[in-house]
Each structure stands twice: as structure tokens, then as C-alpha cells.
Amino acid sequence: MKKYLSLMLLLASIHAHATPIRIASDIWCPYICENHQGYIVELTQRAFEIQNQKVEFITIPYKRALVELQRNNIDAVLALTPSAIAANKFVSADVVFGYNSNDFYTLVDSQESFNHISDLNFTQQAAVVSGYDYGIELDAWLNAHPNSYFASGSDPLAMNIIRLVKGRHSVIIDNKSVIEYTASQLNLSQQLRYAGTIGKPVPLYVGFSQQNQANAVMLANGIKLLKDNGEYQSIMNKYKLLPEVGYDKAHYKRLHKFLPALN
């Protein structure tokens, strides 16, 4: 009986590791890029692989990813803030994968600056990505102003940048590294200007459903193993600087279809 029980436990363990963990996110490069690139993607993948656990990444819009995780159709979502995890009753591995900030970009000839919520009262229109968590104060301001623009779709940030260049918005809000990367892919970096940051940076986690707490523990263990063997720092070093324009050719090719809209 004891041997039979041990065999069953072994088979269950093998089956669990044979079934890929399904992790979803939208593209948020250089954190989360296409073709399984981006440092959060690589760290997560290697943290599981080093423990012989397969991972499957799925690219879907952020808002949909949260819904699919709530429905247990996937196992985890990358780059969630503490408030997003709490609001959706997810769990995390308690491992910080970086920090997000609300950074403001205008056209290069603008004189606007943004350091406080009240600064937004003097701008024409602010554009953000639908479903993202911008913090209590900024979320409240955006929802209280009907003129706020919430972009959605497969490349919402790219569209916000293009709309900014076309004069549809006066300012766009997102993470500085992501805005600058996406603008470089569109060859529009020279037309944008950093105009300030509101609020403090917030940590980013990988969020799991309540049924996947064991996977959250496994992720934390895997990150520790990567730090111990030096692989963690090696991956981080790859993303120390923003990629050049040609870094993610697949993403650039897909974004390039939007460029005629500028004419």
C-alpha cells in the first residue's frame, strides 16, 4: 500500500510538471515583449524551467487577461501592481519584478509639465490604456473627466502615441521605458517629450489565481535558484539599456502598419 501511494504521488508530480503553466499578458516591452522576450518573461520562464516545469505564454489584452485569470482559464498574469492583485483577489509570489510609474509625455514643442494631479486640470486631453491601474488618485481623475481617452485593442499604447502626434491628445500616460521603447519602434521618439511623473513607483508582481498558490511558491523558489546561480543577474544585464529600434523586428513590423494613419 505504501509503495502504491508513493507511485501515485510520483505520477501526479510528473503530470503536474508535464502540464504547462499558462501565463498571459499584453505586450509591454521592454518588460514583456513578443517572441518570449522581455526581462519579466525571461525571468518567469527560467524560474519554472529550472525546476523542470514547462510554461506557455499567451498574448492577450491586459483587461481580458485579468478576466481569464478570474475564470481560471489561465494560471497567472505578468506585471501586476499590488492594487490589481488585491482588487481581483489574486495571490503573488511576493517577488518584485520591477517598478511601474505614471510618466507623462507630450509633443516636443509643448511646455506642459506634470508633477501633481492638479496639473492635469489645465491639459486638453489625457490618454491612457484601458484596464490599467494608475493608482487611486489618477484613476479617480481620469474617470471623473469624460474627455479622458482610454485606448484598447492589440496595440493601445502605439495608437495613443500616434494620436498624440496627430494632435488628438495633449498628453499620454504610461511607463517611461515602455513609451520610449514603443515610440522608437514607430520612429517617433524625436516627436515626444518627457513631461514629468506623478506619484511614486509601485512594485510589479506575477499574479496567480487562488487555485495556483503552489505555482506562486514555485516561482519564488525558482527566482531564488536563479539568483544563486547568477542567471538572474545575467538576464537583468541584457535589459539594462533600452533596445535599439530593430531589436524586436516582429513588433516593429506589426506596429509599422499604423504609420499610414499619420499622413
Side-chain angles (χ1 to χ4, degrees), residues 74-184:
I74 57 176
D75 302 305
V77 174
L78 299 177
L80 297 186
T81 61
S83 56
I85 290 173
N88 292 281
K89 297 181 180 179
F90 299 149
V91 295
S92 77
D94 200 27
V95 175
V96 176
F97 283 86
Y99 291 84
N100 185 36
S101 55
N102 292 324
D103 301 308
F104 292 67
Y105 277 73
T106 67
L107 290 178
V108 69
D109 58 355
S110 171
Q111 299 299 314
E112 289 186 296
S113 62
F114 301 89
N115 300 294
H116 307 282
I117 293 292
S118 58
D119 294 335
L120 281 162
N121 296 332
F122 305 99
T123 197
Q124 177 188 349
Q125 185 184 66
V128 294
V129 175
S130 177
Y132 277 23
D133 174 22
Y134 294 93
I136 295 174
E137 284 190 299
L138 186 50
D139 280 343
W141 190 95
L142 292 167
N143 291 320
H145 290 74
N147 199 37
S148 301
Y149 183 79
F150 295 85
S152 59
S154 60
D155 273 298
L157 177 57
M159 293 308 300
N160 274 349
I161 291 173
I162 290 172
R163 287 173 64 91
L164 177 67
V165 171
K166 293 179 69 174
R168 305 285 179 81
H169 316 303
S170 51
V171 62
I172 58 175
I173 309 168
D174 209 296
N175 177 276
K176 185 175 184 178
S177 295
V178 182
I179 289 177
E180 293 188 357
Y181 175 83
T182 305
S184 74

Side-chain angles (χ1 to χ4, degrees), residues 21 48 51 91 93 208-221:
I21 295 175
F48 284 114
Q51 299 173 92
V91 295
F208 295 82
S209 63
Q210 292 287 341
Q211 288 79 359
N212 279 279
Q213 294 191 40
N215 288 333
V217 174
M218 180 180 284
L219 175 61
N221 183 62

